[in-house]
Structures are given as structure tokens and as C-alpha cells.
Amino acid sequence: MSITAFGIDLGTTNTVVVKSTSDGALDALPLGDGEDARRTHPSVIAFEPTYDRGRMELAMETGAKAISLAAAYPEDFRYVQSFKSHVASAAFAGTTIFGKRFDLAGIFGCFLRRSGIADTINATDGPKRIVVGRPVVFYGDKPDEDLALSRYRDGFKAAGIEDFDFVLEPIGGAFSFFRTVRSNVTVLIADFGGGTSDFVVVRFRLTGSRVKTEVLSHAGIGIAGDTFDARIIENALVRHFGADSHYRENGKRLPVPRSYYSALARWHQMTLLRAPKFLRELEIIQRASEAPEQIARLIYAIDHNQGLAISRAVSGAKAELSDRDSADLTLDLGELQVRETITRADFESWIADDVARIAERVDETLIRSGLSDGAIDKVFLTGGTSFVPAINALFTDRFGAGKVSAGERFSSVAEGLSLVGHEDDIAYWATA
């Protein structure tokens, strides 16, 4: 029986959907509308209030179009990015967007519908399987896995997709890799996303025309590209917004609370600070501040929804550091003009502890597999953060450059997930 399988890699930063057929043909689907359609679709959604006969409705855009509209009209659009980072957090119950309350499942559903994912899948005739990737470990200090999976299910259900299977995201990377080698091989897969980094050791063995696969171990950690962005903000930007300043209250000299700058560094939390309560607190601090102009910049950035501008400037500098020894971080927020030159050496010192924790998870994955480094035949890297030289060096230094390879770094996981959709026992690949 011919089956169409869809692999959905709903990433923190980008979403990719790949369709495959029983004969092994793969097709990455363009998501979005017209000229804005992309096979790598940014996992973002922008809401705009519209009015018809005095009644307010919310128009929505996703992907590249959402980014361009929110960047051009930051005060007219409510922009939501990295919503996957909240999926395992009970502390995030929902958010209010232009007076309308959304829980996280509702945001997922809106994204799946407006991006075209739901319509494409639901319009496909004949037998089909839908495979949705999930990280080995969800993002957050104390992630609630059951809550995360229930929010996924509710979000897909809201988009009209009720029958699907979860599969570990690095397993998708493993299947994508094996499709290119087709030989007996034991491989370490490292999947680096925006919110999480996941690792799995898989053994593939050919027996005639059939393939025997065995997962030997897996591990993950909630550190990846978004964390590296936060380190740039913490070290190169927050001082321009008064992070090291003080204010006076009841005769005491007090530092400005770090919580404001934690939200600035993880900018998708900035929208929470737009609540009147927090803005009033900042205005009180500004009046008593020793650096009122810097606090004014912080208030401006929050009140005028400048999180996207900050994010784009930081991620652009980070990408440039993958190819050069230094990069200019340029930020234009009206009266605030910031230009910082960041060296790769500085950046690598800022992320050194994070890279060390990632290395510990690689150690853990190998220990659980019972294999030595020499027993790993190949190392396959996927995901945008694998471009970071310090991350790449983790593997080339340890296993040798000859063993390390990379596929199409943004579509590999979705390709593999769609291939898993043709396996008899999909549930085997779903357990963390």
C-alpha cells in the first residue's frame, strides 16, 4: 500500500515540512504565501488588529512575511517568536494579544493553519502518516514533558490534525544520514536547534534488502542557538540599557533589578514586560536613576516592541562570527544607536560554559551507549547552531574531521522524520 508520510520539524527558530512517498521520493514543502513562501519557514507569527463595522478581528502572518511586517511596523503588530521554548513550562499559561487571550496550544494552532501546514496535510488524499519531531529534553530549568506533549497535541488538534506520531528529532537526523550512506555504520547524531541540543547513537546494519536499526543511547540539553544569542546580549548590549546602573529609594542606593535584563537577553520574554505594572515600575526607577537616559532606552525598547530588532541584529552578528574573526553588532532604535565590534574570541569566551555543558551531554550519550569514541564510525551534525565554530570543533577535535559530516542543515531532521513514517513500528522511535 502506498503511503504519503509528512515529517514536521517544528523548530524553535525554523519549521520544515517534508513529504515522502513509499518509493523514497522526498519533497520539502514551501510554506507561506506567494513570494514569501519558503521551504525553511521561520517559526514566528505576527498578529494585527483589523476592524470590520466596529468589530475587532486579528489578522495573522507567519514566517518571513511576519518578520518583515513586524520589523517595519513594530507598534502595529504583536510578534511572537520562540514559542516552542515555553511549551514545557507550566509558568507560561498564555498571553493576551490585542485583548484576546491565547494559550500556547492556540498559538501553535494559529501557526500551523496560517503557514499552510494544516491545509496541505488535510488536503492530501489517500493513506498518510504524520510524524512530528520532539526534542530529547525540552527547553527550561524544570521542563514538564507531559505538559509539552499535551500542548503539542492540543495545538495540532486546533489545526485539524489529530492523528500523528511523535519521534525524537535526532532520530530524524539519523534516518536522513543513513539514506546517504547505506552501509553498516554506527553513527552519533548531533541535532542543534534554537532551544535544545540533542544527541543519539544509532547502529544501522544491512541484512539483504532490509535495514536493522538500533538506538543505543540518547541525551539532550536545553542549550542551543537562543542561549548563544542571549550571551551576546548580556555581554555586549545590556549595559547600553542601564544594566550596571543604580537608583535611589528611601535613601538607599540600589541596583536596577536584573530581571529586566534577563528578559531583554531572552527577548521573546520582553513582551511580558509590556504589562502596565512593569512599565510603571521602570518609570519610577528612571526618575530616581543615576543614569536616567539609559533606563529611558530600556523603556523605549520594551514599550515600542523592539525585541525583533534586537534579535535580528544579534543573530546576524552571530552568523557572521561563524565565517569571520570579528563582527559588527549594529542596532538602531531611534535615538539609541549601538555599534559594538565583537571578536570570535570574545564570543567563544562568553559561551564557554554552555559549550562545556553541551560537551558533557555528548560524554553522557557515549557512556550510555557503552561505546568508545573509536567505535563511532561517523558523526552527523545538523541544525543551524552546528555552524558555530566552537560547536563544530567539539566533534572534529574529538572524533577527527574525517568522521564528521553534515547534511542540509535545516531540512535533514524533517527529511528523516518523513522516512520514519514508512517504518512499521514508529512508536519505537518516540521514547525519550
Side-chain angles (χ1 to χ4, degrees), residues 17-332:
V17 179
V18 172
K19 178 176 73 174
S20 67
T21 53
S22 299
D23 60 4
L26 296 170
D27 182 22
L29 304 180
L31 305 176
D33 297 328
E35 295 180 355
D36 295 302
R38 301 285 189 276
R39 286 176 168 80
T40 300
H41 192 72
S43 303
V44 301
I45 185 166
F47 297 85
E48 179 191 22
T50 61
Y51 297 89
D52 182 17
R53 298 175 185 175
R55 182 177 178 179
M56 193 269 283
E57 299 288 345
L58 290 181
M60 294 173 283
E61 296 294 349
T62 63
K65 190 170 184 179
I67 293 173
S68 62
L69 286 171
Y73 309 103
E75 297 184 61
D76 297 332
F77 285 84
R78 173 72 182 275
Y79 180 81
V80 183
Q81 180 177 341
S82 298
F83 46 86
K84 182 180 174 184
S85 294
H86 296 293
V87 71
S89 172
F92 186 87
T95 186
T96 300
I97 299 175
F98 294 115
K100 184 175 181 179
R101 188 69 177 171
F102 286 84
D103 61 16
L104 201 55
I107 293 174
F108 267 90
C110 290
F111 177 80
L112 292 168
R113 291 194 304 272
R114 189 64 188 92
S115 64
I117 295 172
D119 286 348
T120 299
I121 290 175
N122 292 330
T124 301
D125 295 326
K128 58 191 173 189
R129 280 180 176 165
I130 302 159
V131 181
V132 178
R134 53 147 296 180
V136 173
V137 174
F138 284 95
Y139 177 84
D141 293 332
K142 295 180 180 179
D144 185 332
E145 180 174 308
D146 290 339
L147 175 64
L149 297 181
S150 70
R151 284 171 163 173
Y152 268 79
R153 293 189 187 97
D154 290 345
F156 276 82
K157 183 177 180 179
I161 302 172
E162 298 192 40
D163 186 14
F164 65 90
D165 294 278
F166 288 114
V167 166
L168 298 175
E169 289 165 354
I171 295 297
F175 271 74
S176 176
F177 172 78
F178 183 71
R179 184 173 183 268
T180 65
V181 296
R182 299 295 299 180
S183 63
N184 293 340
V185 63
T186 300
V187 57
L188 167 65
I189 309 292
D191 176 22
F192 296 98
T196 62
S197 299
D198 295 321
F199 312 98
V200 62
V201 175
V202 182
R203 179 177 287 145
F204 293 93
R205 292 291 180 264
L206 288 170
T207 56
S209 61
R210 297 185 62 83
V211 179
K212 181 180 180 181
T213 55
E214 181 183 5
V215 177
L216 302 182
S217 65
H218 51 68
I221 189 170
I223 295 175
D226 284 357
T227 305
F228 293 173
D229 288 354
R231 301 304 178 220
I232 293 175
I233 295 172
E234 291 166 353
N235 288 279
L237 277 186
V238 295
R239 64 177 177 272
H240 296 281
F241 296 89
D244 300 321
S245 67
H246 293 74
Y247 70 104
R248 293 193 174 274
E249 182 178 80
N250 297 325
K252 295 181 180 179
R253 186 173 183 264
L254 302 173
V256 178
R258 297 299 300 183
S259 57
Y260 296 114
Y261 302 101
S262 297
L264 190 67
R266 287 161 180 80
W267 78 269
H268 52 280
Q269 299 177 10
M270 274 185 65
T271 53
L272 302 177
L273 296 181
R274 298 186 77 195
K277 171 189 173 182
F278 296 116
L279 288 172
R280 283 196 300 269
E281 289 175 356
L282 279 171
E283 288 168 356
I284 291 170
I285 289 172
Q286 181 196 8
R287 287 195 292 269
S289 173
E290 296 174 358
E293 73 287 347
Q294 294 181 0
I295 305 303
R297 293 169 185 167
L298 177 61
I299 294 171
Y300 179 90
I302 294 169
D303 196 31
H304 290 77
N305 205 19
Q306 293 296 314
L308 175 57
I310 294 171
S311 174
R312 295 179 79 184
V314 169
S315 60
K318 182 183 69 175
E320 193 172 349
L321 288 170
S322 293
D323 299 316
R324 298 178 56 188
D325 292 332
S326 67
D328 288 332
L329 172 58
T330 303
L331 185 62
D332 182 357

